[in-house]
Amino acid sequence: MSLGWDHLVVTTSSQCLIYSTTNWNTPLIFDLKGLTTSAILLAKKLFLIVDSVQGLSVYSYEGRMICSPKYSGIRTDSLNVNNIAISSDTLVLVDSRDSRAYHVFDVNTGRELTDKPLYHSQELMNVALDQYGSTNERCLGFVDKNNDLFLVQIRHSNPLTKLKKLGGMVTTIMWHDTTNMLSALQDGRFTVWYYPRAVYIDTELLPQSKVFKDAGEFGKNPEIASFLGHHCTLRRSDGSLVSTAVSPYPTILQNYVSKTSWDDAVRLCRFVKDAALWASLAAMATAAKELNTAEIAYAAINETEKVEYISYIKDISNKAARNAEMSLFCKQTAEAEGTLLQAGLVYRAIRLNVDLFRWNRALELAVKHKTHVDTVLAYKQKYLQDFGLEESDNVFLQYSKEISVDWTTIQNKINMELESERGK
């Protein structure tokens, strides 16, 4: 049996009974054929039955079978709660033959989302999917054999590019039931990340947006059993359960953000006066491109240079250019460049690469779009002169012979580009 999400699911050798917490008298019952259940995992809208003989089955709480996910070589007798993770839209299974590999399924169709399994460098010991937020941003947290905790955006077009390490010496993890908070036992401490997705937005906010307490009171080798509401329940090695309280304010904050009530979110942080809460708000506001709130939140945690940069972004009149600068702020260079090129802002895309000293990419764009080749050459020459260096790149040497550099002409071209941009 398994209890959660306002339902109790019970299986016998021949039946499955689904009780609702609002009505314990009349369960929904449907037949099962010769079932030998080894695990039941619940999500908000559905649940998974693991049968050691017949395989995996996903059902809705109305008793309707949704899908039976499988992959080549699956061994259901090796599956358990540590190597399966499920949410209302996604299922993750660690490979039976190679525990470094994991398969990702869409639970609505039962189809695998990638042509081949995703691989990690070490064996996976514990996997968990977040239960809150949009499908496209679904995150998988997992602990590997080295006890390192990683986060990956599992629905991204190339998930492994979104693989980020959150910390080391982690033994067990659990996501919160209604928010994006993540709890873990790490190096003898009970740790909670208020907003772990900050790792994709501003890595410097990640350590600021977590809290921890000593885990000595939970005994030796405890495991997290549940993380619901404002309480986290841990199971000691002797099987007994002990509960610890978690601040209610991150939950309230994330509810405000989900409703885009930014003023209420700022008022809450000002009332609580907690740096971890401010750091979480800064990350959430930056992710939502809510610049005014992000500016206030960064100022509250004394990130002066980021306040200055956000103020600079706010003064940009062109929306595409503003979005590109926000992507750059989140260290997503390729996305920033793509946004500019898609909007036809070729000069800004070239200048972005120049400012990042990506000279070859800047010249490549200039040659491809047949504009501002002299601009790139001029800035490269100035850079080399400032540092007392000589040009050694054959491509730049070739174009330097063919194209003359005139700063007056270049400045006029730049001014024309900026005027044209303001017109757009």
Side-chain angles (χ1 to χ4, degrees):
M1 65 175 70
S2 185
L3 176 66
W5 300 104
D6 299 326
H7 290 87
L8 171 67
V9 178
V10 181
T11 60
T12 68
S13 59
S14 59
Q15 288 182 323
C16 178
L17 299 88
I18 305 170
Y19 294 87
S20 170
T21 54
T22 57
N23 181 8
W24 293 106
N25 297 320
T26 53
L28 192 151
I29 303 172
F30 61 90
D31 293 332
L32 298 170
K33 296 178 182 178
L35 195 70
T36 51
T37 306
S38 57
I40 304 173
L41 283 84
L42 308 186
K44 186 176 182 179
K45 299 177 182 177
L46 44 82
F47 63 93
L48 171 74
I49 295 179
V50 182
D51 177 78
S52 56
V53 178
Q54 297 184 20
L56 306 171
S57 302
V58 178
Y59 294 90
S60 69
Y61 288 112
E62 292 77 41
R64 179 177 59 87
M65 186 172 180
I66 299 173
C67 67
S68 293
K70 62 183 70 174
Y71 60 86
S72 176
I74 187 171
R75 284 177 47 212
T76 51
D77 57 326
S78 66
L79 293 174
N80 56 59
V81 292
N82 289 322
N83 54 27
I84 307 173
I86 191 168
S87 71
S88 294
D89 47 53
T90 310
L91 172 68
V92 174
L93 304 174
V94 177
D95 196 283
S96 308
R97 298 163 297 181
D98 183 357
S99 53
R100 295 175 304 163
Y102 52 101
H103 302 261
V104 185
F105 295 88
D106 185 323
V107 294
N108 295 310
T109 61
R111 291 168 56 190
E112 199 163 350
L113 292 174
T114 52
D115 296 332
K116 54 185 179 180
L118 302 174
Y119 277 86
H120 184 59
S121 56
Q122 300 292 328
E123 295 177 13
L124 275 59
M125 309 304 290
N126 192 356
V127 295
L129 279 166
D130 67 350
Q131 305 294 318
Y132 175 79
S134 68
T135 302
N136 292 334
E137 294 181 340
R138 184 70 59 227
C139 285
L140 173 74
F142 64 81
V143 180
D144 67 14
K145 196 175 182 179
N146 292 338
N147 293 119
D148 291 328
L149 171 59
F150 289 87
L151 199 66
V152 57
Q153 282 191 345
I154 209 72
R155 288 276 189 155
H156 192 266
S157 56
N158 189 358
L160 295 182
T161 62
K162 291 291 184 178
L163 180 69
K164 301 288 184 181
K165 183 177 176 180
L166 291 189
M169 301 184 73
V170 176
T171 54
T172 178
I173 60 172
M174 182 69 68
W175 289 94
H176 191 256
D177 62 330
T178 58
T179 69
N180 283 320
M181 287 193 290
L182 177 65
S183 62
L185 287 169
Q186 181 184 29
D187 193 19
R189 297 185 298 187
F190 172 69
T191 305
V192 177
W193 285 269
Y194 285 169
Y195 190 65
R197 289 181 187 175
V199 73
Y200 298 114
I201 299 153
D202 184 350
T203 51
E204 292 173 12
L205 290 176
L206 193 64
Q208 298 183 60
S209 60
K210 74 174 182 179
V211 293
F212 50 82
K213 63 173 74 173
D214 185 66
E217 62 184 282
F218 308 128
K220 192 176 180 181
N221 299 325
E223 288 188 355
I224 302 175
S226 66
F227 188 15
L228 309 170
H230 311 141
H231 294 274
C232 193
T233 305
L234 297 97
R235 181 176 286 106
R236 290 173 168 162
S237 54
D238 62 0
S240 61
L241 297 174
V242 60
S243 183
T244 185
V246 178
S247 170
Y249 297 118
T251 304
I252 300 170
L253 178 67
Q254 293 203 31
N255 286 336
Y256 281 145
V257 170
S258 67
K259 298 172 185 174
T260 64
S261 302
W262 297 105
D263 291 340
D264 291 332
V266 170
R267 275 196 289 271
L268 175 69
C269 290
R270 283 177 173 154
F271 171 74
V272 178
K273 297 183 177 68
D274 178 16
L277 213 59
W278 276 117
S280 302
L281 179 60
M284 287 185 254
T286 303
K289 296 181 171 58
E290 176 59 36
L291 299 181
N292 291 327
T293 306
E295 191 175 23
I296 294 167
Y298 274 114
I301 53 177
N302 300 316
E303 297 279 2
T304 314
E305 73 286 359
K306 290 170 185 174
V307 174
E308 288 281 342
Y309 193 71
I310 290 171
S311 180
Y312 153 72
I313 294 172
K314 285 168 65 179
D315 291 336
I316 298 172
S317 57
N318 187 285
K319 185 179 179 182
R322 207 161 51 239
N323 290 339
E325 290 290 345
M326 284 303 295
S327 298
L328 201 59
F329 182 82
C330 299
K331 299 181 177 63
Q332 297 168 354
T333 311
E335 186 178 314
E337 184 188 285
T339 302
L340 292 171
L341 292 174
Q342 196 171 0
L345 303 175
V346 178
Y347 167 69
R348 269 197 182 270
I350 293 169
R351 186 57 192 265
L352 178 148
N353 285 287
V354 167
D355 290 342
L356 295 174
F357 309 110
R358 297 171 54 179
W359 302 111
N360 287 7
R361 179 58 181 163
L363 186 61
E364 182 186 329
L365 286 175
V367 171
K368 180 181 178 180
H369 293 276
K370 299 177 182 177
T371 182
H372 287 287
V373 177
D374 55 342
T375 306
V376 177
L377 294 173
Y379 277 106
K380 179 75 183 289
Q381 288 174 12
K382 184 176 184 299
Y383 165 78
L384 293 171
Q385 288 168 8
D386 289 346
F387 287 92
L389 302 172
E390 291 186 3
E391 184 60 77
S392 58
D393 191 303
N394 291 331
V395 178
F396 274 88
L397 287 169
Q398 179 189 339
Y399 279 103
S400 296
K401 292 174 184 175
E402 298 172 3
I403 299 171
S404 60
V405 171
D406 178 17
W407 275 104
T408 306
T409 306
I410 290 168
Q411 198 57 55
N412 289 336
K413 283 168 67 178
I414 291 172
N415 290 336
M416 285 173 62
E417 290 281 2
L418 295 177
E419 281 294 326
S420 172
E421 187 181 300
R422 276 190 287 270
K424 290 180 181 179

